[in-house]
Amino acid sequence: MEDKEIYTELNSIRNLMERSAKFISLSGLSGIMAGIYALIGAGLGYYIVYGSHGGLRYRNYYISEQEILWKLLFIAMGVLALSLITGIWLTIKKASKKNQNVWNPASKNLLYNMAVPLFTGGIFILIILFRGYYGIIAPACLIFYGLSLVSASHYTYNDVKWLGILEIVLGLLATLLPGYGIVFWTIGFGILHIIYGSIMHFKYDR
C-alpha cells in the first residue's frame, strides 16, 4: 500500500512539474480554424493569380504586378490576423476553464522560441519578395514555420513537433517543385492544420 501511495505521489509531482515547464493550454480548435482560414485564403490567392488559366498543372511563371502582390499580401495578413485572434481567444478560454494562467514562464519560452525562426523567416521572405524570387516564397513560409514549431515544441505538446517536421518536409518538396507552391502552401497551412487541430481537440480538449 505504501509503495502505491509513493507512486501516486511521485506521479502527481511529475504532472505538476510538467504543467509548470510546458504550456498545455493550446486549443485544438484554433488549429482547425487556422486551417480553414488558410484554405479560404489559398483559394482567393489562386483565383487572383491563376483564375483565368484554371487547373493545377505545373506553373512556370509568376505574376510580378504590384497590384497582384499587394492583394496577395493583404490576404496573407488577413489569414494570419484571423488565426492569431482566434488562437489567442480559444487559448485564453481553455486556460480559464482549467483555472490556468496563460502568461507564465512556459508560455513566454514558447513564444520566444517561435518568434526567432518566424521573425527571421519573415525578413528573409520580404527580401526574396523584393528581389523577385517568387518561386521560393511558399517553400520559405513552410520551412521557417516548421522550424518555429519544432523549436517551440519543447515547451508544449510533443504533437507540435511532428506538425513542424511535416511542414519542413513539405517546404523542401515545394522547393523542388516551385511551380506547385500554392498546392504545398494549401496542404501545409490548410489541410495539415485541420488534421493537427482535430487530433489535438480529441486528444487534449475533451
Side-chain angles (χ1 to χ4, degrees):
M1 187 66 179
E2 290 183 358
D3 291 340
K4 186 176 181 179
E5 290 178 351
I6 292 173
Y7 176 79
T8 302
E9 187 68 23
L10 288 174
N11 192 46
S12 299
I13 294 173
R14 186 184 66 183
N15 289 334
L16 287 172
M17 291 179 66
E18 186 179 81
R19 286 176 176 271
S20 63
K22 294 191 174 184
F23 185 66
I24 56 175
S25 295
L26 292 177
S27 170
L29 186 57
S30 65
I32 297 174
M33 295 305 299
I36 293 174
Y37 298 148
L39 288 179
I40 295 173
L44 291 173
Y46 183 87
Y47 177 77
I48 289 173
V49 178
Y50 305 119
S52 60
H53 301 277
L56 288 174
R57 59 185 179 276
Y58 181 81
R59 306 294 177 185
N60 58 5
Y61 62 91
Y62 297 92
I63 304 300
S64 60
E65 289 86 348
Q66 290 297 318
E67 183 180 353
I68 296 295
L69 291 176
W70 280 111
K71 286 181 179 179
L72 294 177
L73 182 60
F74 179 77
I75 291 173
M77 295 302 294
V79 170
L80 178 61
L82 285 173
S83 299
L84 287 175
I85 293 171
T86 303
I88 292 172
W89 177 64
L90 290 175
T91 296
I92 293 175
K93 185 178 180 181
K94 180 180 177 181
S96 177
K97 186 177 180 180
K98 294 187 175 184
N99 294 318
Q100 296 173 352
N101 183 20
V102 175
W103 193 242
N104 53 46
S107 62
K108 293 176 183 178
N109 286 327
L110 183 146
L111 289 175
Y112 174 77
N113 281 268
M114 280 196 76
V116 174
L118 283 179
F119 182 78
T120 304
I123 297 298
F124 177 77
I125 290 168
L126 286 176
I127 292 173
I128 62 176
L129 176 64
F130 287 112
R131 296 283 292 178
Y133 304 139
Y134 307 116
I136 57 175
I137 291 178
C141 288
L142 291 165
I143 291 172
F144 280 101
Y145 179 60
L147 290 172
S148 72
L149 292 178
V150 173
S151 179
S153 66
H154 297 91
Y155 300 97
T156 186
Y157 298 115
N158 196 52
D159 307 69
V160 174
K161 178 180 71 176
W162 295 110
L163 174 62
I165 291 173
L166 290 175
E167 299 284 0
I168 294 171
V169 171
L170 275 177
L172 293 175
L173 290 175
T175 306
L176 294 174
L177 298 169
Y180 294 102
I182 187 68
V183 177
F184 286 103
W185 198 95
T186 302
I187 295 172
F189 292 107
I191 297 174
L192 279 186
H193 263 138
I194 293 175
I195 295 174
Y196 154 80
S198 300
I199 293 173
M200 293 284 286
H201 177 71
F202 289 105
K203 193 174 180 180
Y204 302 110
D205 294 354
R206 299 182 68 185

